[in-house]
Structure formats: C-alpha cells, structure tokens
Amino acid sequence: MISDQKPPKPLQQNTLKNMPATLTSSRELIVPYFESLLKTTPVGPHSSELAYALGWITPNGDDSTWAIQDSAYFGSYLKDPSTNEVVRPSDSTLWEIGSCTKTFAAMSYAFHLAKGHVQRDDKVLPTIAPYLPSTDNLPAALTTMTWDDLRTMRSQLVGNQHKGPSIESSSSVETFFQDLTNKSNYTGNSLFNYSNSSYALLGFGMLIVAHSLKSSTPLSFDEFLPKLREYWYDTLFSPIGMPDTQLFNQQKVDSYDIPHWQNSPLKKANWPAHTPAGGLLTTMPDALNWLTANMKPNGAVPANVIENMRSHPSHTQTSKSNPRKRSGEGQYIANGWFEKFYPSLCAPGKQNSIFIKGGSVPHFRASFAYAKPDNGAISQKGIVILTNDDELSLQPITQNLMDLLIHEIPD
C-alpha cells in the first residue's frame, strides 16, 4: 500500500496560467496531472493491487445533452489473490464509496419532501415507534428529534455509533433500533455532530415512509435491507441511469470484480445497519450519472428535489451551529454534501464554492465534487475519484482537479 503519503499542495495560480494554450480538452489537463501524481507517490510491495478510476463532467452547451462525461483508469489490482490474477479497472469495476452513500439517503428524503409525504419538522418517533422494543422512558432526544435533525446531523445521536463494519463486530438492523432507546447513545446537545447513525436512521426512516404508503403492516427487520435495495433501485438507481449500482449484498457482490474484495473486512461484517450511511457500491459510469443528476435536474429528478438537496445548511448562526467551523472554510449543507469555499475557483469578487463529499471504508475511498451551479461565476463541472488505495488523501486532489477544470478552456 502507499506509505508516507503527502497530500498534494493546492495548485498555484501561476501553474494555471502556464498551462499550454493549445489544450483542446479536459483530458489533456487532468489526466497528466493525475498520472504525475501517481508516478511520484511512494508505493509499497502491494502496488500491483492499487487501482484508480477518475471521471469528470464538463458542459456541452446543449440543453438536451448539457453534460459531457469522460473517464480514465489507472493501476491494476489482484482480482483473486488465490490465483494472483491481475486485472485492469474498467467501466464494469464496482467500487465501494462509503459515506458518499449519504447523498443517496438525502435524495430519498428530498423526494419525500417534494411530494409532501414528510415535513422537515415532523417528529421521527411516530414513524419508527413500531420498530422500537418499547416506547416507555425513551431518551428525550428521541422524542423531539425531527427528520431535519437527522439530515443536518443535529439529532444528538453520537457520531461513532454504527460507524461502519469491522472484522470484530457489526450491528443488525434490529440492534440498531434497539440502540436508539439507549440514553448513552446520545450526546445531550444539539450541536452539529457528524453522525453515521443519523443517516442510517434517515435512510431507514424514508424506507418506512415509502412502505407505509403501500401497506399498513410494518416491515420485519429481515426485510429492511432487501426492501431498501428495491426502494433505492426503483426511485434512484434505475431512473437516473445507474444499472450496476447497488447496496451491499454479499451474494450479489461476489459476482463482480472489486479491488481487494477477497481481503475486505466487509466480506465478514456483511454491512448491516450502517448501509444507508455508507453501504453503496457503484461503477464509474453510474457515479458520473449520479453526479450529473445532482448537478442539474433531469426527468428523473425534478427541480424541487434538487433544491431540497441544496438548501437549508446545518451550520447557521444559532445555538445549533458547529463551534468547530472556521469562518470562510465552508459549511455542511448536510444532505451528504459539504459546501467548500475555495479562493482559487472563481473570478475575483465572485462566490467561490463547490459541493464535495468524500467516503472511506476499509480498502476503498471515494470523492465526488461539482462546481456550484447557480452562482453565476463558474460553469457546471464535476469530478469523481474511486480507488482501493485507502491511504490516498483525496480531498486536496479533488480540489486541484476542480481547479484545473474550472480554469481550463473558456466555455
């Protein structure tokens, strides 16, 4: 694996000014940069198992086909360590994206908001009460918690509960709902606290809401994950054009080429309650379609749903603001995305920000980012990085790639 990895420094403006004037495509900018980064990165004895997928989106200028998608693949991995078969990553390679899954839970919530099935200030408890072991003597936070408290990660659910699967332990869906009644699983304050449990409950909550529209019979705990896969496939994966994307399902996953899969702790943990917060696997073509759907509404994602995804940041000047937020750095809009402010990304005097989300699980990292589409300063451009190199620092790389895209060829 990569050792002693130092994140790349932010690109300087003179670097951008010195780019060749004859460039005709985004590929001529970002692929050499990414290749040079990989060539100068120290690698260990397992470098043959490191694979990278890089995808990007640039505007086309045509409303009917407004975005151009392109991708490149680097490195290779051992498909089966028992045979030492080395293969190259491709459009069919399935990657785990960890916490980037939260954006899917958020969009399922945004759909229900847009359709009026839920309201931001609706209490969570009435919806999940049938799944709790008891509704007596509940933690105060659980009785007052709203859907938007989950979305903005101000639910008081502690951040490290159900953080993710490991070799040692995992939590079933039933245990997850039982733990919601345990007072020790709450922080006791309503400050922003990055919480996987909040998004696990948000994802399951929206599944319960969807199920209740069709049936008055509660789901069994054994049905939660299969029904969640079915629900997200019908409402998100299929309409947006993500045929190979799925939630964690070992039987299904074993039929795919996944870097490091045979060695992954997830193979033993079976990724249960954490799934809506970090249990998604996707290919690069599917990932680019997902990013495109977030950047601009299409027939499958109405404008009001996208607006629900972008509005109402969790960091505000109230008692629920995040005390650790540094002025000018950015803010969680808490739909799985972080709105990051970068001085180099726009013309002087313009608002400079991108939406960005990273994810990591054992053996995998992912990063999604796109330029804020409605500030009038920059065009809609986006980046996706998927890798099984879990020591690579993706955020500065993503920032530099967005910088290159935005200062590329004038639109």
Side-chain angles (χ1 to χ4, degrees):
M1 298 297 293
I2 285 180
S3 60
D4 301 323
Q5 167 76 21
K6 293 183 179 180
K9 295 179 180 179
L11 294 175
Q12 302 299 315
Q13 287 303 303
N14 58 357
T15 302
L16 298 168
K17 291 178 181 178
N18 293 333
M19 289 292 176
T22 57
L23 289 171
T24 59
S25 70
S26 303
R27 177 176 288 272
E28 293 181 57
L29 271 174
I30 66 176
V31 169
Y33 164 74
F34 200 76
E35 287 178 328
S36 65
L37 175 69
L38 297 180
K39 288 178 181 178
T40 58
T41 299
V43 295
H46 303 293
S47 59
S48 63
E49 300 178 27
L50 296 179
Y52 310 86
L54 174 63
W56 59 97
I57 298 170
T58 52
N60 189 31
D62 182 348
D63 286 340
S64 61
T65 56
W66 70 274
I68 299 175
Q69 299 178 359
D70 203 352
S71 60
Y73 298 94
F74 311 85
S76 58
Y77 62 89
L78 295 180
K79 179 179 180 181
D80 184 349
S82 65
T83 63
N84 289 329
E85 181 184 0
V86 178
V87 296
R88 300 280 295 178
S90 67
D91 282 354
S92 62
T93 302
L94 200 62
W95 314 80
E96 299 173 36
I97 65 171
S99 287
C100 295
T101 305
K102 291 180 176 65
T103 63
F104 290 77
M107 187 171 279
S108 69
Y109 172 57
F111 265 105
H112 284 298
L113 282 174
K115 294 179 180 179
H117 299 157
V118 297
Q119 302 298 322
R120 296 183 186 275
D121 294 330
D122 285 349
K123 298 293 190 296
V124 173
L125 182 58
T127 298
I128 68 171
Y131 302 93
L132 302 177
S134 172
T135 54
D136 297 331
N137 194 29
L138 293 174
L142 185 57
T143 64
T144 60
M145 182 190 301
T146 68
W147 295 120
D148 237 33
D149 288 333
L150 295 176
R151 180 189 67 88
T152 59
M153 299 190 196
R154 299 180 301 191
S155 65
Q156 302 186 44
L157 280 165
V158 297
N160 61 356
Q161 291 295 304
H162 314 290
K163 188 171 184 179
S166 67
I167 294 175
E168 293 78 20
S169 64
S170 61
S171 174
S172 68
V173 176
E174 183 174 6
T175 300
F176 175 81
F177 279 93
Q178 290 174 346
D179 286 349
L180 293 174
T181 63
N182 187 336
K183 293 181 174 62
S184 66
N185 288 335
Y186 296 85
T187 62
N189 63 65
S190 55
L191 295 174
F192 170 88
N193 182 45
Y194 192 91
S195 170
N196 290 288
S197 293
S198 288
Y199 265 71
L201 184 54
L202 181 65
F204 285 139
M206 294 303 100
L207 169 64
I208 294 170
V209 169
H211 176 74
S212 67
L213 296 173
K214 301 178 180 179
S215 173
S216 59
T217 303
L219 295 166
S220 71
F221 288 114
D222 289 340
E223 291 179 298
F224 264 79
L225 294 179
K227 289 292 186 182
L228 185 66
R229 296 183 191 110
E230 178 184 326
Y231 167 50
W232 279 15
Y233 182 83
D234 290 343
T235 59
L236 300 177
F237 305 159
S238 180
I240 290 172
M242 308 177 70
D244 295 317
T245 299
Q246 60 182 271
L247 294 176
F248 185 88
N249 177 329
Q250 182 169 325
Q251 188 175 30
K252 178 71 172 177
V253 162
D254 281 344
S255 67
Y256 282 83
D257 292 340
I258 304 179
H260 276 324
W261 181 246
Q262 297 298 325
N263 297 327
S264 175
L266 307 182
K267 190 175 179 69
K268 297 180 180 180
N270 206 27
W271 213 320
H274 181 60
T275 298
L280 189 139
L281 304 97
T282 193
T283 62
M284 177 54 75
D286 283 13
L288 288 172
N289 283 343
W290 171 248
L291 191 60
T292 298
N294 280 270
M295 290 168 65
K296 182 177 180 179
N298 59 26
V301 186
N304 57 349
V305 174
I306 296 298
E307 175 58 28
N308 284 334
M309 287 285 287
R310 294 174 180 159
S311 61
H312 301 275
S314 59
H315 294 170
T316 59
Q317 302 304 311
T318 69
S319 60
K320 291 188 176 184
S321 63
N322 180 5
R324 295 174 297 176
K325 171 179 175 272
R326 293 195 296 272
S327 175
E329 177 183 291
Q331 63 183 3
Y332 270 100
I333 60 170
N335 289 303
W337 298 98
F338 186 85
E339 185 176 7
K340 185 80 173 179
F341 305 136
Y342 290 128
S344 64
L345 289 184
C346 297
K350 299 292 186 179
Q351 183 178 352
N352 11 332
S353 63
I354 63 173
F355 291 152
I356 187 168
K357 180 58 186 172
S360 63
V361 290
H363 298 309
F364 292 92
R365 291 198 177 188
S367 181
F368 288 65
Y370 65 96
K372 190 173 183 179
D374 53 0
N375 63 5
I378 50 182
S379 297
Q380 299 187 68
K381 300 177 181 180
I383 287 286
V384 178
I385 306 175
L386 307 173
T387 181
N388 66 341
D389 180 353
D390 58 3
E391 294 186 23
L392 192 65
S393 181
L394 290 188
Q395 181 159 315
I397 296 173
T398 303
Q399 174 185 345
N400 288 353
L401 289 171
M402 286 299 301
D403 213 339
L404 285 172
L405 272 184
I406 289 168
H407 289 90
E408 183 207 351
I409 306 159
D411 297 326

